[in-house]
Amino acid sequence: MIICKNVQALVAYTPGEQPKDPGIIKLNTNENPYPPSPKVAEALQAFDAARLRLYPDPVFLALRQRIAEIHGCAVQQIFIGNGSDEILALCTRAFVENDGSVGYFEPSYSLYPVLADIRGVERRPVALGADFTWRMAADYEASLFLMTNPNAPTSMQHDKAAVAAFCRAFRGAVLIDEAYGDFADAGCMDLALAEGNANTLVMRTLSKSFSLAGLRFGYVIGPADLIGALYKIKDSYNMDMLAQVVGLAALSDLPYMRENVRKIRATRERLGAELRRRGWRVCESQTNFLFASPPDGRAEKVFDALKAAKIYVRYFPGPATGEYLRITVGTEAQADALLRHLV
Ligand SMILES: Cc1ncc(COP(=O)(O)O)c(C=O)c1O
């Protein structure tokens, strides 16, 4: 057989549906309902297509300088990927030996076990505690721990002291995936920059808070030696020229991103409060989505009814998540439409 055994056996990651019908209210993939900064459109319009003749900067220095300014770190501590998914895959290659393992919480981002399977290494999942709270055995070990924080799909933020203590004690690499970090009250970037934390990386994406899921742009910050390892194994030109131009424009307009985050957080609070008033269990969200369970716990039934009404949300079957829906926070009008259909 030509195809590798682990690829034959692989159950691939299933991304959320991308329906073509523009009439659908799309609350299923945690995209931002607002357009990206006007500076993005300006940069695209000003872009000279003749430049595409040339290869892009392989080490994206201008972007790293901007990110270094934002986070107060050195350019040697920054790596940029074609979406944060690319960075996750690179980490499983750079920090996990063939007989190593990949750890992650359950439930969390469902790509993590697939990445372990692609590498053909052991999965070491850790079940979260009751109500999806932090739970970690003192003797837990893995080569690489992938930690979504705030977590997805639960929307909850892990206790910072627990995360910090874990990073200090853990012998492998820790990647804190802050895909939703801009929607939280505070984050863990300082852990990637702390002198003593030689094993900790923190990752961000432009897909959610910057409204650029279509661009494919994620970045990771951490100790220079770990970051250097990612440069060694990346594709020569993993960030195309347009992504570099557009990414820089977006990162140069933080006030615009923050205003959208403010609106989404306000809608999140209103939607969460109204669902609770109607008897739903709603996790305390620090993200741009809610993880919520209807009063009778029959989430799949609500998922089907919403889908029939052209409102798409996400449902993850299984014992831990099967009573919940993951609902992306959209505009105020989308929240109203959702609430009307949930009557
Ligand atoms: C926790 C988490 N990490 C990473 C990603 C992927 O982000 P990107 O679009 O940057 O590849 C997602 C996307 O949904 C996510 O939920």
Side-chain angles (χ1 to χ4, degrees):
M1 187 33 142
I2 291 171
I3 300 169
C4 296
K5 285 194 205 67
N6 71 322
V7 179
Q8 286 180 48
L10 187 74
V11 179
Y13 174 73
T14 321
E17 221 175 312
Q18 292 292 349
K20 298 280 175 286
D21 177 354
I24 284 169
I25 297 183
K26 199 173 167 310
L27 306 175
N28 65 333
T29 49
N30 296 343
E31 289 141 330
N32 196 309
Y34 302 108
S37 160
K39 292 209 163 62
V40 163
E42 281 165 30
L44 280 172
Q45 270 147 23
F47 184 78
D48 175 8
R51 283 174 62 196
L52 291 174
R53 196 174 57 76
L54 304 171
Y55 283 105
D57 177 356
V59 293
F60 21 83
L61 196 57
L63 280 165
R64 285 155 71 201
Q65 280 161 346
R66 177 67 195 127
I67 294 169
E69 264 169 34
I70 294 172
H71 293 289
C73 62
V75 291
Q76 293 82 355
Q77 292 179 287
I78 302 164
F79 178 82
I80 306 177
N82 184 28
S84 41
D85 283 349
E86 186 198 19
I87 298 174
L88 291 167
L90 288 175
C91 287
T92 65
R93 288 197 240 151
F95 308 131
V96 186
E97 300 283 4
N98 290 341
D99 60 354
S101 53
V102 175
Y104 49 87
F105 284 121
E106 264 180 359
S108 76
Y109 187 24
S110 49
L111 177 67
Y112 300 154
V114 180
L115 291 174
D117 292 352
I118 291 171
R119 268 290 273 108
V121 298
E122 193 191 333
R123 305 171 175 189
R124 291 246 173 108
V126 177
L128 285 169
D131 299 331
F132 310 120
T133 49
W134 179 273
R135 191 170 67 180
M136 177 64 74
D139 59 353
Y140 177 80
E141 285 185 10
S143 314
L144 168 69
F145 196 83
L146 302 172
M147 186 195 303
T148 317
N149 194 35
N151 196 16
T154 68
S155 79
M156 291 159 57
Q157 187 143 38
H158 294 303
D159 175 59
K160 174 105 180 241
V163 176
F166 173 73
C167 292
R168 269 196 307 277
F170 191 65
R171 295 229 302 274
V174 184
L175 180 125
I176 303 175
D177 179 348
E178 290 194 338
Y180 303 99
D182 285 320
F183 301 98
D185 296 340
C188 288
M189 190 55 87
D190 56 312
L191 299 183
L193 300 173
E195 280 288 305
N197 277 3
N199 64 344
T200 306
L201 300 147
V202 173
M203 184 171 74
R204 294 281 179 91
T205 176
L206 302 199
S207 294
K208 321 286 180 182
S209 55
F210 285 88
S211 315
L212 285 171
L215 189 71
R216 314 310 302 132
F217 191 121
Y219 65 89
V220 61
I221 294 184
D225 57 339
L226 301 192
I227 293 294
L230 300 178
Y231 281 97
K232 279 171 101 170
I233 61 169
K234 81 180 185 77
D235 287 347
S236 307
Y237 303 104
N238 65 321
M239 293 302 289
D240 66 67
M241 198 184 283
L242 280 169
Q244 296 196 31
V245 167
V246 172
L248 191 59
L251 288 165
S252 305
D253 194 2
L254 296 186
Y256 178 88
M257 176 278 279
R258 289 188 182 127
E259 174 56 16
N260 284 343
V261 165
R262 188 197 61 72
K263 286 194 278 196
I264 289 166
R265 281 172 54 115
T267 308
R268 173 182 88 194
E269 296 313 308
R270 180 172 80 86
L271 188 58
E274 180 55 27
L275 290 177
R276 284 191 187 99
R277 202 186 61 76
R278 296 182 188 191
W280 286 55
R281 260 180 303 157
V282 183
C283 295
E284 206 53 62
S285 176
Q286 286 282 291
T287 62
N288 67 336
F289 57 90
L290 294 176
F291 200 51
S293 176
D296 63 1
R298 296 179 63 195
E300 192 167 15
K301 190 189 69 180
V302 182
F303 172 83
D304 289 338
L306 285 174
K307 192 159 185 182
K310 291 194 171 189
I311 301 179
Y312 284 26
V313 297
R314 193 95 193 249
Y315 176 65
F316 298 96
T321 53
E323 293 194 349
Y324 288 80
L325 294 176
R326 195 194 69 186
I327 305 168
T328 304
V329 176
T331 61
E332 285 284 293
Q334 288 175 327
D336 288 337
L338 176 77
L339 288 168
R340 270 197 305 279
H341 278 92
L342 289 178
V343 172

